[in-house]
């Protein structure tokens, strides 16, 4: 049996796919695993921000087609980079145990303090708005490219610092570049941050993914993505959501931003993990209507 795993060709994407492949190999030791890499449209266009070129869907378009064509049986994604709306014929089949969901500050190599004459680079409006509250005297500018490309721009002197996801740096073995961890109270993470998701085509046998699926991560993912979906949050939307589970209780914290960005609200809700999606929808409505502070 040959199982083909589709992946973006960046180093981080390959590492993430290999992690999934290791779990599949443990579940199906007789299977032959093949990694199929490709460059997506989002990887090719690096001179524009995502909201200007079509959003997160540009990172999955080619991989979706590979699933439909049969060139891949499964594809691996960082859940935070997945569009909220998923095609019915390409369901999400497994959610990995969550890595550190926090955002972090990365300074140039050999530097210990922020240079206030240069901007902080970050890739999302979600981060930008929350950073503006933490560093009101700093300029915040967008930066595109994979992690290594962004770090090269930082070390070349273009930015005073970068804000990146802790999970990606840890998976790349670059944890030593982290200068500061932002608590989830300081910067609320993107929905799904730190979780890997495996996508497949409808009708595929997914038993080989049984060692990958983490029910806590799946519950958090459902709540967080339901929150964003209820607010019609797309790729350029600054909304954020982060859930934690203790026992059977799920607590979801959300960040709502009005279309004109004049209203920004954070709030939380707690309920049963089995009501994850409902909790996400309720919190979104409460924050939008100003009922939850």
């Amino acid at each position: 049996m040959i199982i083909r795993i589709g992946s973006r060709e960046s180093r981080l994407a390959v590492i993430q796919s290999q992690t999934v492949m290791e779990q599949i190999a443990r579940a199906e030791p007789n299977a032959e695993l093949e990694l199929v890499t490709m460059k997506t449209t989002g990887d090719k266009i690096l001179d524009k921000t995502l909201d200007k070129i079509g959003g997160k869907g540009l990172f999955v378009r080619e991989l979706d087609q590979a699933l439909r064509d049969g060139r891949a049986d499964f594809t691996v994604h960082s859940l935070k980079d997945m569009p909220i709306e998923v095609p019915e014929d390409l369901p999400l089949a497994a959610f990995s145990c969550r890595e550190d969901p926090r955002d972090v500050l990365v300074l140039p190599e050999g530097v210990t303090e922020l240079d206030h004459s240069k901007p902080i680079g970050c890739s999302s409006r979600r981060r930008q708005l929350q950073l503006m509250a933490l560093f009101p005297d700093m300029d915040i500018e967008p930066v595109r490219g994979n992690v290594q490309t962004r770090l090269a721009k930082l070390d070349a002197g273009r930015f005073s610092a970068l804000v990146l996801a802790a999970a990606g740096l840890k998976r790349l073995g670059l944890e030593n570049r982290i200068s500061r961890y932002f608590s989830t109270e300081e910067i609320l993470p993107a929905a799904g941050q730190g979780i890997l998701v495996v996508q497949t085509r409808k009708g595929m046998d997914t038993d080989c993914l049984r060692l990958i699926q983490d029910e806590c991560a799946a519950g958090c993912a459902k709540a967080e993505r339901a929150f964003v979906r209820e607010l019609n949050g797309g790729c350029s939307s600054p909304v954020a959501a982060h859930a934690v589970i203790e026992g059977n209780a799920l607590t979801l914290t959300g960040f709502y931003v009005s279309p004109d960005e004049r209203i920004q609200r954070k709030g939380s809700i707690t309920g049963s993990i089995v009501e994850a999606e409902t909790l996400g929808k309720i919190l979104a409505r409460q924050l939008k209507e100003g009922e939850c502070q």
Side-chain angles (χ1 to χ4, degrees), residues 146-171:
N146 61 38
V147 173
Q148 288 84 0
T149 298
R150 297 185 197 188
L151 289 175
K153 293 177 181 178
L154 172 68
D155 293 335
R158 293 179 56 180
F159 299 93
S160 65
L162 298 177
V163 176
L164 300 169
L169 289 168
K170 289 184 175 183
R171 288 173 180 141

mmCIF file of all heavy atoms in Angstrom, residues 146-171:
data_model
loop_
_atom_site.group_PDB
_atom_site.id
_atom_site.type_symbol
_atom_site.label_atom_id
_atom_site.label_comp_id
_atom_site.label_asym_id
_atom_site.label_seq_id
_atom_site.Cartn_x
_atom_site.Cartn_y
_atom_site.Cartn_z
ATOM 1 N N ASN A 146 8.788 32.596 3.865
ATOM 2 C CA ASN A 146 8.846 31.551 4.879
ATOM 3 C C ASN A 146 9.696 32.023 6.056
ATOM 4 O O ASN A 146 10.251 33.125 6.039
ATOM 5 C CB ASN A 146 9.363 30.230 4.288
ATOM 6 C CG ASN A 146 10.770 30.360 3.715
ATOM 7 O OD1 ASN A 146 11.624 31.063 4.265
ATOM 8 N ND2 ASN A 146 11.031 29.674 2.614
ATOM 9 N N VAL A 147 9.781 31.211 7.091
ATOM 10 C CA VAL A 147 10.460 31.636 8.318
ATOM 11 C C VAL A 147 11.907 32.025 8.045
ATOM 12 O O VAL A 147 12.387 33.066 8.512
ATOM 13 C CB VAL A 147 10.396 30.523 9.382
ATOM 14 C CG1 VAL A 147 11.257 30.893 10.593
ATOM 15 C CG2 VAL A 147 8.959 30.285 9.824
ATOM 16 N N GLN A 148 12.609 31.205 7.259
ATOM 17 C CA GLN A 148 14.013 31.511 6.984
ATOM 18 C C GLN A 148 14.166 32.814 6.216
ATOM 19 O O GLN A 148 15.090 33.594 6.475
ATOM 20 C CB GLN A 148 14.672 30.365 6.208
ATOM 21 C CG GLN A 148 14.925 29.115 7.022
ATOM 22 C CD GLN A 148 13.698 28.218 7.100
ATOM 23 O OE1 GLN A 148 12.640 28.538 6.545
ATOM 24 N NE2 GLN A 148 13.832 27.099 7.780
ATOM 25 N N THR A 149 13.272 33.072 5.275
ATOM 26 C CA THR A 149 13.314 34.316 4.508
ATOM 27 C C THR A 149 13.095 35.517 5.409
ATOM 28 O O THR A 149 13.781 36.536 5.308
ATOM 29 C CB THR A 149 12.251 34.293 3.393
ATOM 30 O OG1 THR A 149 12.536 33.215 2.491
ATOM 31 C CG2 THR A 149 12.239 35.602 2.617
ATOM 32 N N ARG A 150 12.140 35.401 6.313
ATOM 33 C CA ARG A 150 11.866 36.501 7.240
ATOM 34 C C ARG A 150 13.045 36.741 8.177
ATOM 35 O O ARG A 150 13.413 37.888 8.457
ATOM 36 C CB ARG A 150 10.597 36.202 8.043
ATOM 37 C CG ARG A 150 9.354 36.110 7.187
ATOM 38 C CD ARG A 150 8.115 35.923 8.036
ATOM 39 N NE ARG A 150 7.001 35.448 7.237
ATOM 40 C CZ ARG A 150 5.755 35.335 7.664
ATOM 41 N NH1 ARG A 150 5.448 35.680 8.899
ATOM 42 N NH2 ARG A 150 4.797 34.889 6.874
ATOM 43 N N LEU A 151 13.643 35.656 8.667
ATOM 44 C CA LEU A 151 14.796 35.809 9.551
ATOM 45 C C LEU A 151 15.971 36.461 8.828
ATOM 46 O O LEU A 151 16.706 37.265 9.413
ATOM 47 C CB LEU A 151 15.211 34.450 10.115
ATOM 48 C CG LEU A 151 14.264 33.821 11.139
ATOM 49 C CD1 LEU A 151 14.730 32.423 11.516
ATOM 50 C CD2 LEU A 151 14.145 34.689 12.383
ATOM 51 N N ALA A 152 16.134 36.130 7.548
ATOM 52 C CA ALA A 152 17.214 36.738 6.768
ATOM 53 C C ALA A 152 16.995 38.243 6.628
ATOM 54 O O ALA A 152 17.942 39.044 6.729
ATOM 55 C CB ALA A 152 17.306 36.083 5.393
ATOM 56 N N LYS A 153 15.750 38.652 6.419
ATOM 57 C CA LYS A 153 15.432 40.081 6.327
ATOM 58 C C LYS A 153 15.691 40.772 7.665
ATOM 59 O O LYS A 153 16.196 41.903 7.712
ATOM 60 C CB LYS A 153 13.971 40.265 5.906
ATOM 61 C CG LYS A 153 13.667 39.812 4.488
ATOM 62 C CD LYS A 153 12.183 39.951 4.159
ATOM 63 C CE LYS A 153 11.888 39.480 2.742
ATOM 64 N NZ LYS A 153 10.434 39.569 2.405
ATOM 65 N N LEU A 154 15.351 40.086 8.749
ATOM 66 C CA LEU A 154 15.592 40.636 10.086
ATOM 67 C C LEU A 154 17.082 40.817 10.331
ATOM 68 O O LEU A 154 17.530 41.898 10.753
ATOM 69 C CB LEU A 154 14.997 39.695 11.139
ATOM 70 C CG LEU A 154 15.310 40.017 12.601
ATOM 71 C CD1 LEU A 154 14.623 41.302 13.029
ATOM 72 C CD2 LEU A 154 14.901 38.846 13.506
ATOM 73 N N ASP A 155 17.860 39.771 10.067
ATOM 74 C CA ASP A 155 19.290 39.816 10.345
ATOM 75 C C ASP A 155 20.039 40.758 9.410
ATOM 76 O O ASP A 155 21.150 41.204 9.726
ATOM 77 C CB ASP A 155 19.880 38.409 10.274
ATOM 78 C CG ASP A 155 19.370 37.495 11.388
ATOM 79 O OD1 ASP A 155 18.969 38.023 12.444
ATOM 80 O OD2 ASP A 155 19.356 36.265 11.200
ATOM 81 N N ALA A 156 19.419 41.086 8.271
ATOM 82 C CA ALA A 156 20.026 42.040 7.334
ATOM 83 C C ALA A 156 19.793 43.480 7.772
ATOM 84 O O ALA A 156 20.296 44.417 7.145
ATOM 85 C CB ALA A 156 19.477 41.821 5.933
ATOM 86 N N GLY A 157 19.000 43.670 8.826
ATOM 87 C CA GLY A 157 18.813 45.005 9.366
ATOM 88 C C GLY A 157 17.565 45.721 8.930
ATOM 89 O O GLY A 157 17.411 46.918 9.205
ATOM 90 N N ARG A 158 16.630 45.025 8.285
ATOM 91 C CA ARG A 158 15.421 45.693 7.797
ATOM 92 C C ARG A 158 14.390 45.919 8.893
ATOM 93 O O ARG A 158 13.520 46.771 8.757
ATOM 94 C CB ARG A 158 14.815 44.880 6.646
ATOM 95 C CG ARG A 158 15.691 44.873 5.398
ATOM 96 C CD ARG A 158 15.084 44.052 4.277
ATOM 97 N NE ARG A 158 13.738 44.479 3.900
ATOM 98 C CZ ARG A 158 13.025 43.901 2.950
ATOM 99 N NH1 ARG A 158 13.533 42.881 2.270
ATOM 100 N NH2 ARG A 158 11.801 44.335 2.670
ATOM 101 N N PHE A 159 14.463 45.136 9.958
ATOM 102 C CA PHE A 159 13.490 45.238 11.037
ATOM 103 C C PHE A 159 14.197 45.237 12.389
ATOM 104 O O PHE A 159 15.302 44.702 12.528
ATOM 105 C CB PHE A 159 12.499 44.070 10.991
ATOM 106 C CG PHE A 159 11.698 43.994 9.720
ATOM 107 C CD1 PHE A 159 12.126 43.219 8.650
ATOM 108 C CD2 PHE A 159 10.512 44.708 9.595
ATOM 109 C CE1 PHE A 159 11.387 43.153 7.477
ATOM 110 C CE2 PHE A 159 9.768 44.651 8.427
ATOM 111 C CZ PHE A 159 10.204 43.879 7.362
ATOM 112 N N SER A 160 13.538 45.803 13.380
ATOM 113 C CA SER A 160 14.071 45.743 14.742
ATOM 114 C C SER A 160 13.785 44.386 15.361
ATOM 115 O O SER A 160 14.514 43.913 16.240
ATOM 116 C CB SER A 160 13.455 46.842 15.601
ATOM 117 O OG SER A 160 12.057 46.644 15.758
ATOM 118 N N ALA A 161 12.696 43.765 14.914
ATOM 119 C CA ALA A 161 12.291 42.459 15.435
ATOM 120 C C ALA A 161 11.218 41.878 14.533
ATOM 121 O O ALA A 161 10.638 42.584 13.694
ATOM 122 C CB ALA A 161 11.761 42.588 16.860
ATOM 123 N N LEU A 162 10.947 40.603 14.704
ATOM 124 C CA LEU A 162 9.829 39.935 14.050
ATOM 125 C C LEU A 162 8.923 39.349 15.121
ATOM 126 O O LEU A 162 9.370 39.020 16.219
ATOM 127 C CB LEU A 162 10.309 38.785 13.155
ATOM 128 C CG LEU A 162 11.227 39.085 11.975
ATOM 129 C CD1 LEU A 162 11.614 37.777 11.290
ATOM 130 C CD2 LEU A 162 10.558 40.034 10.993
ATOM 131 N N VAL A 163 7.657 39.205 14.778
ATOM 132 C CA VAL A 163 6.739 38.432 15.615
ATOM 133 C C VAL A 163 6.319 37.216 14.800
ATOM 134 O O VAL A 163 5.777 37.352 13.699
ATOM 135 C CB VAL A 163 5.520 39.260 16.048
ATOM 136 C CG1 VAL A 163 4.538 38.390 16.827
ATOM 137 C CG2 VAL A 163 5.964 40.430 16.920
ATOM 138 N N LEU A 164 6.611 36.046 15.337
ATOM 139 C CA LEU A 164 6.349 34.785 14.656
ATOM 140 C C LEU A 164 5.634 33.830 15.605
ATOM 141 O O LEU A 164 5.517 34.099 16.805
ATOM 142 C CB LEU A 164 7.662 34.143 14.189
ATOM 143 C CG LEU A 164 8.526 34.940 13.205
ATOM 144 C CD1 LEU A 164 9.899 34.291 13.073
ATOM 145 C CD2 LEU A 164 7.842 35.011 11.849
ATOM 146 N N ALA A 165 5.184 32.711 15.076
ATOM 147 C CA ALA A 165 4.552 31.678 15.901
ATOM 148 C C ALA A 165 5.629 30.822 16.553
ATOM 149 O O ALA A 165 6.557 30.361 15.888
ATOM 150 C CB ALA A 165 3.626 30.812 15.053
ATOM 151 N N ALA A 166 5.493 30.607 17.847
ATOM 152 C CA ALA A 166 6.450 29.762 18.563
ATOM 153 C C ALA A 166 6.506 28.363 17.959
ATOM 154 O O ALA A 166 7.579 27.762 17.839
ATOM 155 C CB ALA A 166 6.074 29.678 20.040
ATOM 156 N N ALA A 167 5.353 27.842 17.568
ATOM 157 C CA ALA A 167 5.290 26.465 17.072
ATOM 158 C C ALA A 167 6.203 26.248 15.873
ATOM 159 O O ALA A 167 6.940 25.256 15.814
ATOM 160 C CB ALA A 167 3.848 26.115 16.702
ATOM 161 N N GLY A 168 6.174 27.176 14.914
ATOM 162 C CA GLY A 168 6.999 27.020 13.725
ATOM 163 C C GLY A 168 8.474 27.042 14.045
ATOM 164 O O GLY A 168 9.262 26.233 13.523
ATOM 165 N N LEU A 169 8.901 27.966 14.907
ATOM 166 C CA LEU A 169 10.314 28.048 15.276
ATOM 167 C C LEU A 169 10.764 26.788 16.006
ATOM 168 O O LEU A 169 11.865 26.274 15.772
ATOM 169 C CB LEU A 169 10.550 29.283 16.146
ATOM 170 C CG LEU A 169 10.453 30.624 15.416
ATOM 171 C CD1 LEU A 169 10.421 31.771 16.417
ATOM 172 C CD2 LEU A 169 11.615 30.809 14.437
ATOM 173 N N LYS A 170 9.911 26.263 16.878
ATOM 174 C CA LYS A 170 10.276 25.051 17.614
ATOM 175 C C LYS A 170 10.390 23.854 16.672
ATOM 176 O O LYS A 170 11.309 23.036 16.804
ATOM 177 C CB LYS A 170 9.252 24.785 18.720
ATOM 178 C CG LYS A 170 9.342 25.786 19.869
ATOM 179 C CD LYS A 170 8.378 25.449 20.996
ATOM 180 C CE LYS A 170 8.584 26.390 22.174
ATOM 181 N NZ LYS A 170 7.723 26.063 23.332
ATOM 182 N N ARG A 171 9.462 23.748 15.735
ATOM 183 C CA ARG A 171 9.521 22.622 14.800
ATOM 184 C C ARG A 171 10.753 22.700 13.909
ATOM 185 O O ARG A 171 11.274 21.683 13.456
ATOM 186 C CB ARG A 171 8.245 22.583 13.960
ATOM 187 C CG ARG A 171 7.019 22.136 14.758
ATOM 188 C CD ARG A 171 5.739 22.256 13.955
ATOM 189 N NE ARG A 171 4.574 21.835 14.733
ATOM 190 C CZ ARG A 171 3.390 22.418 14.699
ATOM 191 N NH1 ARG A 171 3.198 23.474 13.913
ATOM 192 N NH2 ARG A 171 2.400 21.974 15.444
#
